[in-house]
Amino acid sequence: MTPPDPRPERSRAEDPRTARTKARLRESLLAECAAGREPTEVSVSAVVRRAGVGRATFHLHYEDLPALAVDACAEVAHAAVDALHAWQTGPGSLAPLRPPAALAGYLAEVTDRAALYRSLLLPGGGGPLGERLHRELRARARAERSAVGAPHADLVASAVAAAFTGVLADWLHGLVPDTGPPVLADRIWALLLALHRALPPTG
């Protein structure tokens, strides 16, 4: 059984013109941040100018810049889920002792937009991006454990999601000692494996 994909509403059918406009706005915001500006320094005017749309069009799709930022960063949640499960070759696959290469690659990509993510992923894993990341990771972990009959699916899924989201957030905010993506990937992987193996089947 293939676990359900917990991706947000954007993955569902959407008017092509609306989808293109929102994509331009997301790309515009990320480009403004990539140019060295903190998210709090970016204005709606700058975003719509770069995207080539009007302010009224912006407000048709987003309430404000934080709402756009959450949407623009949503792919980081999808990428995290995909990176953590890149080792899978099919239902019931056994997790390797070393993390998939995609996990270190994902962490390296996150650092390129660290300022933007720090504004949305607060220390400890809070904030709008933290909530989304936790929700998607928990849904994937729970679905996978349930599919193979692993015990305590709800409890372990919550622990895995909380651990990954919290460590990622604290790393971005400098609360985890300066650790490069490959080393951090190894340590996160060891933690998640331990959580998955912590609770044996009940008698």
Side-chain angles (χ1 to χ4, degrees):
M1 183 174 112
T2 301
D5 185 352
R7 298 185 184 221
E9 293 76 10
R10 195 170 72 226
S11 63
R12 301 173 187 168
E14 186 175 43
D15 176 75
R17 187 165 60 180
T18 295
R20 287 194 298 271
T21 299
K22 293 172 73 173
R24 286 204 305 271
L25 289 168
R26 293 193 299 269
E27 291 164 5
S28 177
L29 174 63
L30 294 176
E32 287 292 317
C33 292
R37 298 177 181 85
E38 292 288 330
T40 54
E41 299 173 346
V42 177
S43 66
V44 172
S45 296
V47 169
V48 298
R49 182 167 57 250
R50 184 184 285 269
V53 303
R55 182 179 286 265
T57 299
F58 173 90
H59 288 294
L60 180 64
H61 300 297
Y62 298 104
E63 180 180 356
D64 50 26
L65 277 176
L68 170 60
V70 170
D71 195 25
C73 290
E75 290 306 317
V76 76
H78 310 331
V81 173
D82 291 342
L84 285 169
H85 298 86
W87 53 272
Q88 290 181 325
T89 57
S93 300
L94 295 177
L97 295 179
R98 297 296 306 277
L103 180 55
Y106 162 79
L107 294 173
E109 291 177 5
V110 166
T111 61
D112 293 337
R113 290 171 175 163
L116 178 58
Y117 294 149
R118 277 195 296 268
S119 71
L120 299 166
L121 182 57
L122 305 179
L129 182 55
E131 292 170 6
R132 178 172 227 150
L133 181 57
H134 183 280
R135 183 170 65 250
E136 295 196 16
L137 286 171
R138 186 185 186 282
R140 180 68 174 265
R142 185 186 184 285
E144 287 179 348
R145 289 186 69 85
S146 296
V148 299
H152 313 292
D154 288 305
L155 178 59
V156 174
S158 290
V160 166
F164 182 85
T165 304
V167 170
L168 177 64
D170 287 356
W171 179 61
L172 282 170
H173 286 274
L175 299 177
V176 172
D178 188 14
T179 304
V183 174
L184 184 64
D186 284 342
R187 293 175 181 174
I188 286 177
W189 191 251
L191 287 172
L192 299 186
L193 285 181
L195 288 171
H196 274 291
R197 297 169 178 169
L199 297 176
T202 55

